[in-house]
PDB file of all heavy atoms in Angstrom:
ATOM      1  N   CYS A  13     178.995 119.122  88.350  1.00 90.00           N
ATOM      2  CA  CYS A  13     178.173 120.285  87.989  1.00 90.00           C
ATOM      3  C   CYS A  13     179.066 121.509  87.762  1.00 90.00           C
ATOM      4  O   CYS A  13     179.765 121.570  86.759  1.00 90.00           O
ATOM      5  CB  CYS A  13     177.130 120.525  89.073  1.00 90.00           C
ATOM      6  SG  CYS A  13     175.922 121.765  88.598  1.00 90.00           S
ATOM      7  N   ALA A 169     164.374 124.338  94.248  1.00 97.00           N
ATOM      8  CA  ALA A 169     163.310 125.272  94.617  1.00 97.00           C
ATOM      9  C   ALA A 169     163.923 126.543  95.230  1.00 97.00           C
ATOM     10  O   ALA A 169     163.492 127.659  94.913  1.00 97.00           O
ATOM     11  CB  ALA A 169     162.343 124.608  95.592  1.00 97.00           C
ATOM     12  N   CYS A 303     179.257 120.379 102.726  1.00 98.00           N
ATOM     13  CA  CYS A 303     177.815 120.305 102.425  1.00 98.00           C
ATOM     14  C   CYS A 303     177.609 120.399 100.920  1.00 98.00           C
ATOM     15  O   CYS A 303     176.961 119.554 100.319  1.00 98.00           O
ATOM     16  CB  CYS A 303     177.063 121.448 103.104  1.00 98.00           C
ATOM     17  SG  CYS A 303     177.091 121.419 104.888  1.00 98.00           S
TER      18      CYS A 303
END
Side-chain angles (χ1 to χ4, degrees):
C13 189
C303 296

